[in-house]
Amino acid sequence: MIGDAAQHLKYLRISRIAEYALSPMPAWLWSGDGERLLWFNAAGGRAFGLRPGALLSDPFKPADPHRRQAMQVARRITAINEMRLERLRGFGAALGGLSTLACTRLPIVDGEAGLLLASTQAAALPFEHRLHRLIDAIDLPVIAFAPDHHVAGQNAAAAAWPFTPELQADPALLFLTGNALDTGHARGELATGQAEILRVGAGAEMTLIAVVVPNPACAAASDVATHIESPAVGTIPELAIQPDHSEPADLEPAQSIIASRQFETEPPSPKETEPPMSAFEPPATSVEPSPAATDRTVTPLAAPAPRKMPLRFTW
């Protein structure tokens, strides 16, 4: 898919192109002369290495083999709704291989004609991947519905839009999806904005996509909810510390102030901090030591008696 939301919707309103929007068959829509690539589905973008939503002013050089072959096919198919099979090199085939493409000239918008090239060989892309590549390329809120009105997916804009639950519960949306399922597309006014429903895909993969243009009130409320930032937990914006550009000599260091306040505060007395003994100590009881405990008691040694010297007489 290329271009903005208006360009996406412009080509998806064409039923022949909408059938290939979710197809696993790679498909590309070229201009009537084959010089410009106008649209491609998810499988076609993967074959060319193009991401969804890429703006392609002139991605192919004049000597590009894909562009050159598309121009040759455009010269061979001149009638509207004429279809023919062509064997072209590349277009999702292996390196150096050929692909069989169903080539059709279609009337598109503003009286112009386009050249639709669709491969006959499916690519290995799951349905969910193809669906999200389709709706993610649109910058407006988009919600995809199955034919039974079950929500199949939504893009990033719809996930971030706070009125998506109200949109899904709107009874008018159910009426519009029913009309789009029958006619291919429907447009109407909802409580949250202008909505357009498009039927894309075919067979079991048929899907309805609702593209919503929010009304001014919902758009303004969404912008306010997006830009409001809640303060971090545990912080008070009014008491946020501001940088002080005054002279440092006039201020006392914070650490010295804290230390001085700590020394100025007298420590509490033990009588104030310790609980009363009667509240925590159990009542005193006399416990007699056991004989085994008395036997192991070590008695201190007695001090040695002073030594007596013999008495001598000198004549």
Side-chain angles (χ1 to χ4, degrees), residues 115-196:
L115 184 64
L116 179 63
L117 305 182
S119 176
T120 58
Q121 184 177 1
L125 281 178
F127 172 76
E128 291 78 9
H129 180 81
R130 288 177 270 131
L131 175 62
H132 280 282
R133 285 179 71 95
L134 173 67
I135 62 180
D136 289 343
I138 305 176
D139 54 359
L140 294 173
V142 180
I143 304 176
F145 297 92
D148 59 353
H149 304 288
H150 175 73
V151 178
Q154 60 184 3
N155 63 353
W161 193 41
F163 296 94
T164 298
E166 298 182 12
L167 172 67
Q168 298 177 5
D170 196 333
L173 180 64
L174 184 64
F175 176 77
L176 291 177
T177 53
N179 290 343
L181 192 61
D182 297 333
T183 61
H185 69 277
R187 182 181 300 176
E189 185 72 26
L190 302 179
T192 54
Q194 185 77 20
E196 182 174 5

Side-chain angles (χ1 to χ4, degrees), residues 75-141:
R75 287 193 293 265
R76 290 194 293 266
I77 303 177
T78 58
I80 296 296
N81 294 326
E82 179 185 356
M83 192 273 291
R84 60 185 297 176
L85 296 178
E86 295 282 349
R87 294 278 290 174
L88 304 179
R89 190 172 302 277
F91 289 92
L95 183 62
L98 298 175
S99 296
T100 302
L101 303 178
C103 307
T104 309
R105 181 175 290 274
L106 298 175
I108 50 177
V109 294
D110 300 331
E112 298 180 0
L115 184 64
L116 179 63
L117 305 182
S119 176
T120 58
Q121 184 177 1
L125 281 178
F127 172 76
E128 291 78 9
H129 180 81
R130 288 177 270 131
L131 175 62
H132 280 282
R133 285 179 71 95
L134 173 67
I135 62 180
D136 289 343
I138 305 176
D139 54 359
L140 294 173

Side-chain angles (χ1 to χ4, degrees), residues 18-309:
E19 292 177 0
Y20 285 98
L22 296 177
S23 174
M25 313 291 185
W28 306 267
L29 178 66
W30 296 78
S31 59
D33 54 4
E35 294 184 358
R36 294 178 295 111
L37 180 62
L38 304 178
W39 177 90
F40 55 86
N41 62 2
R46 182 182 182 183
F48 281 1
L50 301 175
R51 62 179 179 85
L55 292 174
L56 305 178
S57 57
D58 189 12
F60 300 102
K61 303 299 181 181
D64 185 86
H66 298 100
R67 180 177 180 270
R68 181 166 45 84
Q69 294 178 91
M71 294 176 62
Q72 294 173 359
V73 173
R75 287 193 293 265
R76 290 194 293 266
I77 303 177
T78 58
I80 296 296
N81 294 326
E82 179 185 356
M83 192 273 291
R84 60 185 297 176
L85 296 178
E86 295 282 349
R87 294 278 290 174
L88 304 179
R89 190 172 302 277
F91 289 92
L95 183 62
L98 298 175
S99 296
T100 302
L101 303 178
C103 307
T104 309
R105 181 175 290 274
L106 298 175
I108 50 177
V109 294
D110 300 331
E112 298 180 0
L115 184 64
L116 179 63
L117 305 182
S119 176
T120 58
Q121 184 177 1
L125 281 178
F127 172 76
E128 291 78 9
H129 180 81
R130 288 177 270 131
L131 175 62
H132 280 282
R133 285 179 71 95
L134 173 67
I135 62 180
D136 289 343
I138 305 176
D139 54 359
L140 294 173
V142 180
I143 304 176
F145 297 92
D148 59 353
H149 304 288
H150 175 73
V151 178
Q154 60 184 3
N155 63 353
W161 193 41
F163 296 94
T164 298
E166 298 182 12
L167 172 67
Q168 298 177 5
D170 196 333
L173 180 64
L174 184 64
F175 176 77
L176 291 177
T177 53
N179 290 343
L181 192 61
D182 297 333
T183 61
H185 69 277
R187 182 181 300 176
E189 185 72 26
L190 302 179
T192 54
Q194 185 77 20
E196 182 174 5
I197 316 298
L198 298 172
R199 184 185 64 193
V200 295
E205 295 181 345
M206 182 182 297
T207 307
L208 300 171
I209 60 172
V211 183
V212 183
V213 179
N215 56 34
C218 293
S222 177
D223 294 340
V224 171
T226 303
H227 290 85
I228 290 179
E229 297 179 359
S230 59
V233 178
T235 62
I236 303 177
E238 292 78 1
L239 301 182
I241 300 176
Q242 301 294 335
D244 192 356
H245 301 286
S246 59
E247 294 296 332
D250 299 338
L251 298 178
E252 187 177 1
Q255 295 182 357
S256 61
I257 294 176
I258 297 174
S260 62
R261 291 182 179 179
Q262 290 179 352
F263 283 107
E264 291 174 2
T265 306
E266 295 182 359
S269 61
K271 294 183 180 181
E272 297 176 357
T273 57
E274 296 181 359
M277 300 298 293
S278 61
F280 295 94
E281 292 187 358
T285 56
S286 60
V287 179
E288 297 181 359
S290 61
T294 55
D295 295 342
R296 291 194 300 268
T297 304
V298 180
T299 57
L301 298 177
R307 186 175 182 181
K308 296 181 181 180
M309 302 298 294

